[in-house]
C-alpha cells in the first residue's frame, strides 16, 4: 500500500453522508460537513456530477506553485450504504490512484472529536466504507472522526442517524475545522506527518 509517487496525480477527498436536509446534522453526516468546509476554503461550490451520482468540486489546496495539489472534493448523493459506486466512477473518470482517495467519515470506536488518520484496514461495520471497499479494495486513506458509542441501550443505527447533541454542537465547528486541516495535511504533507500532527 504505497502512496503514489506521481505528484501530478489528483486526489479525491470524499465526505461520506446521506443526502437531504433531514440528515444534514446527523452524526453520520460529519463527512459532508468536512467536505463543505473544504469547499469553502477552496472558494468554490459543489455541482452535480454528470459522471457519477455525486456532487463535486475541483480545485487546488496547499501553497501556491509546485507545492499545491489538485483535488476533487466529492459528496456521494447515493445513500451511505451504496457510496462505493459513485466513488469508483469518480476515481475512474478523474484517473485517481486508489491510494490518493481520502474518505472522511464518522467513527464509533473513537471518542467524540478525536481524529485518526490511516491507510487501508477494515470497515469496522461502517456501511459507507464497506461499500467503498467492496467496489475498489481497501487501499485508500481515511480521516476517522470520532463520534463515540451510543449511550445505554440505544441502537447504533439510531445513534448515528441522530443529530449531534446540543453539548456536542458547542465544539462541533472546532472539530470539523480540525478534520479539514487533517485532510489537507494528509494530501500536502503525506500520511506520517499528518498522523503525527492530528492523531491524538
Amino acid at each position: 500500500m504505497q502512496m503514489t509517487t506521481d505528484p501530478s496525480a489528483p486526489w479525491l477527498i470524499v465526505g461520506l453522508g446521506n443526502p437531504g436536509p433531514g440528515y444534514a446534522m446527523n452524526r453520520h453526516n460529519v463527512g459532508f460537513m468536512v467536505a463543505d468546509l473544504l469547499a469553502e476554503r477552496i472558494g468554490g461550490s459543489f455541482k452535480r456530477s454528470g459522471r457519477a451520482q455525486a456532487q463535486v468540486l475541483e480545485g487546488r489546496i496547499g501553497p501556491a506553485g509546485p507545492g499545491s495539489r489538485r483535488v476533487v472534493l466529492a459528496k456521494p448523493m447515493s445513500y451511505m450504504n451504496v457510496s462505493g459506486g459513485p466513488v469508483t466512477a469518480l476515481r475512474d473518470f478523474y484517473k485517481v490512484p486508489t491510494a490518493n482517495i481520502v474518505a472522511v467519515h464518522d467513527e464509533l470506536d473513537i471518542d467524540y472529536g478525536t481524529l485518526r488518520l490511516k491507510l487501508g484496514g477494515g470497515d469496522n461495520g461502517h456501511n459507507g466504507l464497506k461499500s467503498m471497499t467492496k467496489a475498489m479494495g481497501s487501499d485508500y486513506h481515511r480521516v476517522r472522526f470520532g463520534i463515540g458509542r451510543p449511550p445505554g441501550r440505544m441502537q447504533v443505527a439510531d445513534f448515528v442517524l441522530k443529530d449531534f447533541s446540543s453539548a456536542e454542537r458547542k465544539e462541533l465547528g472546532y472539530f470539523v475545522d480540525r478534520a479539514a486541516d487533517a485532510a489537507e495535511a494528509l494530501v500536502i504533507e503525506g500520511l506520517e506527518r499528518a498522523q503525527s500532527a492530528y492523531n491524538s
Side-chain angles (χ1 to χ4, degrees):
M1 292 191 297
Q2 295 297 314
M3 287 180 60
T4 178
T5 55
D6 180 2
S8 67
W11 284 76
L12 175 59
I13 301 178
V14 181
L16 292 178
N18 286 307
Y23 295 101
M25 288 304 295
N26 286 182
R27 293 181 176 93
H28 223 20
N29 269 45
V30 73
F32 275 17
M33 298 174 199
V34 174
D36 285 337
L37 179 56
L38 287 168
E40 193 179 304
R41 290 180 180 184
I42 287 174
S45 56
F46 282 101
K47 293 180 173 57
R48 178 73 72 161
S49 169
R51 306 286 173 175
Q53 193 178 358
Q55 291 185 354
V56 297
L57 170 63
E58 297 178 60
R60 300 189 77 87
I61 60 173
S68 70
R69 296 286 182 268
R70 181 181 163 215
V71 297
V72 179
L73 298 179
K75 297 191 294 184
M77 290 289 109
S78 61
Y79 284 88
M80 177 73 86
N81 60 354
V82 286
S83 300
V87 175
T88 303
L90 292 171
R91 177 198 67 177
D92 294 345
F93 176 69
Y94 289 103
K95 297 180 171 54
V96 179
T98 302
N100 277 26
I101 296 173
V102 182
V104 184
H105 64 92
D106 57 303
E107 179 62 63
L108 284 160
D109 286 339
I110 302 174
D111 290 341
Y112 173 61
T114 299
L115 298 177
R116 292 278 190 278
L117 281 64
K118 63 183 286 194
L119 172 62
D123 57 59
N124 202 25
H126 191 287
N127 287 333
L129 298 182
K130 195 175 294 183
S131 178
M132 285 180 60
T133 296
K134 184 178 179 183
M136 61 186 188
S138 63
D139 295 350
Y140 54 89
H141 288 86
R142 300 100 189 275
V143 174
R144 304 158 72 206
F145 185 110
I147 61 170
R149 301 294 303 186
R153 298 188 178 189
M154 184 186 291
Q155 294 295 311
V156 165
D158 295 331
F159 179 70
V160 299
L161 292 176
K162 283 196 182 309
D163 289 358
F164 284 101
S165 70
S166 56
E168 288 169 334
R169 284 198 296 271
K170 290 176 182 174
E171 293 185 293
L172 183 60
Y174 168 77
F175 290 139
V176 167
D177 191 70
R178 194 163 181 271
D181 289 346
E184 289 183 338
L186 171 57
V187 170
I188 297 162
E189 300 176 22
L191 179 62
E192 287 187 15
R193 282 193 178 187
Q195 283 176 324
S196 66
Y198 293 97
N199 280 15
S200 49

